[in-house]
Amino acid sequence: MQRYFIEMAYDGTNYHGWQVQPNAISVQELMNDALGKIFRQPKETTYIVGAGRTDTGVHSDYFVAHFDLPEAIAEEDIEHILFKFNAILPPDISVYSMQSVDEKLHARFSATSRTYHYRISLRKIPSLRLSHFTPYFTPDFDKMNEAAKVMMEYTDFTSFARLHADTKTNDCFVTKAEWKEIEPGIWIFEISANRFLRNMVRAVVGTLLEVGRGKMTIEQFRGIIEAKDRCRAGMSAEARGLSLVGIDYPEGRGFVRTV
């Protein structure tokens, strides 16, 4: 058995997240279907494992997944397989690379960190409508940055977790949380951690925006984290502004980031 990692990206607008859903179309479902067609195996026996579960409408500029094959593929055949992937998949899903890796390397459980961007446009720009959120006010980004720094003092983020989720722990080690203007009127919130809870980033952004419009103080933001109560935090920010942009893995296990 040979394990392969792939690097890919997708626009989540038309999908109910990454994970297979019983009555809705997902990115994983289409990837499983493509695998079955490429390797001529029944759909039930081809299964791809993703680095995480993105919510409905959330994008991924960079995503990693793995699958296993009974036998190794010749190196010279990989480019042709990538061509097949992209010919079968719709235009809003793309596969960039395919690499053989150590069989113990797991796309989800071996990841050491993940990075998300939440994108905001202060002006209504039609071409960005599916990838950026436009607030109806101008946030105080300095205040939001002060509040964001508070997150790195804590590990329990129950207040930003989806209620009734099946996680065993709500602990996350946040290593970066920062708003920055990448061009006039276009801002991103960059947040990195070893793991994220379901809906966590959108809940964090929604709450930080409350700080940014003067409805919440930095100490109140701190109090929300300490309360460990989702009902105390703000509304989740819209999905369209969120994108997974980075995933890191241990070195020396066969996987090298190429994009």
Side-chain angles (χ1 to χ4, degrees):
M1 191 70 71
Q2 180 61 58
R3 177 156 292 180
Y4 287 91
F5 264 38
I6 61 169
E7 295 174 292
M8 57 180 291
Y10 54 86
D11 179 331
T13 303
N14 296 321
Y15 303 106
H16 288 256
W18 162 263
Q19 191 169 352
V20 169
Q21 304 289 329
N23 298 304
I25 192 164
S26 70
V27 179
Q28 187 182 33
E29 178 185 350
L30 295 182
M31 291 298 297
N32 286 339
D33 182 62
L35 272 175
K37 290 175 179 175
I38 291 169
F39 297 106
R40 298 180 181 178
Q41 296 177 0
K43 189 174 180 180
E44 295 74 22
T45 65
T46 53
Y47 190 77
I48 190 162
V49 178
R53 300 185 296 187
T54 54
D55 291 335
T56 298
V58 173
H59 315 295
S60 186
D61 294 354
Y62 182 78
F63 196 80
V64 177
H66 81 250
F67 57 89
D68 298 322
L69 296 175
E71 297 179 359
I73 299 166
E75 195 68 29
E76 59 268 24
D77 292 336
I78 287 181
E79 279 300 318
H80 185 57
I81 291 170
L82 291 175
F83 175 82
K84 286 185 174 181
F85 262 120
N86 289 308
I88 293 170
L89 293 167
D92 51 9
I93 304 175
S94 181
V95 178
Y96 299 128
S97 79
M98 176 176 165
Q99 306 171 43
S100 60
V101 299
D102 185 315
E103 65 178 9
K104 293 182 180 178
L105 195 64
H106 193 284
R108 180 181 176 189
F109 298 124
S110 297
T112 56
S113 72
R114 297 165 174 84
T115 298
Y116 282 89
H117 282 176
Y118 193 89
R119 301 179 173 113
I120 282 181
S121 172
L122 297 182
R123 292 186 298 123
K124 184 178 178 182
I125 302 175
S127 62
L128 300 182
R129 71 191 187 283
L130 300 180
S131 59
H132 290 62
F133 170 65
T134 301
Y136 59 85
F137 60 94
T138 300
D140 185 332
F141 290 99
D142 289 336
K143 280 282 195 286
M144 291 198 294
N145 265 330
E146 287 184 58
K149 288 178 183 176
V150 170
M151 296 182 65
M152 287 178 278
E153 301 175 21
Y154 298 89
T155 55
D156 188 329
F157 291 101
T158 300
S159 291
F160 302 124
R162 177 172 289 179
L163 293 173
H164 313 301
D166 56 358
T167 53
K168 294 180 180 178
T169 174
N170 289 332
D171 285 357
C172 307
F173 296 92
V174 177
T175 55
K176 186 172 187 178
E178 179 185 14
W179 289 94
K180 48 190 175 182
E181 190 173 25
I182 57 172
E183 59 181 89
I186 305 294
W187 288 77
I188 63 168
F189 177 59
E190 182 170 286
I191 183 167
S192 300
N194 66 320
R195 64 189 288 264
F196 287 93
L197 309 172
R198 291 196 68 187
N199 200 54
M200 175 176 166
V201 181
R202 291 170 57 201
V204 166
V205 172
T207 309
L208 286 174
L209 285 170
E210 291 292 285
V211 174
R213 67 173 182 162
K215 295 290 186 180
M216 183 184 298
T217 67
I218 294 166
E219 283 308 308
Q220 287 173 326
F221 182 81
R222 182 189 296 277
I224 285 170
I225 298 175
E226 293 179 352
K228 301 176 185 178
D229 180 358
R230 179 64 184 92
C231 296
R232 294 277 300 277
M235 296 285 289
S236 294
E238 292 188 17
R240 60 191 163 110
L242 183 61
S243 185
L244 177 61
V245 299
I247 308 166
D248 295 321
Y249 292 91
E251 294 182 4
R253 304 286 293 278
F255 175 68
V256 178
R257 181 166 180 170
T258 66
V259 293

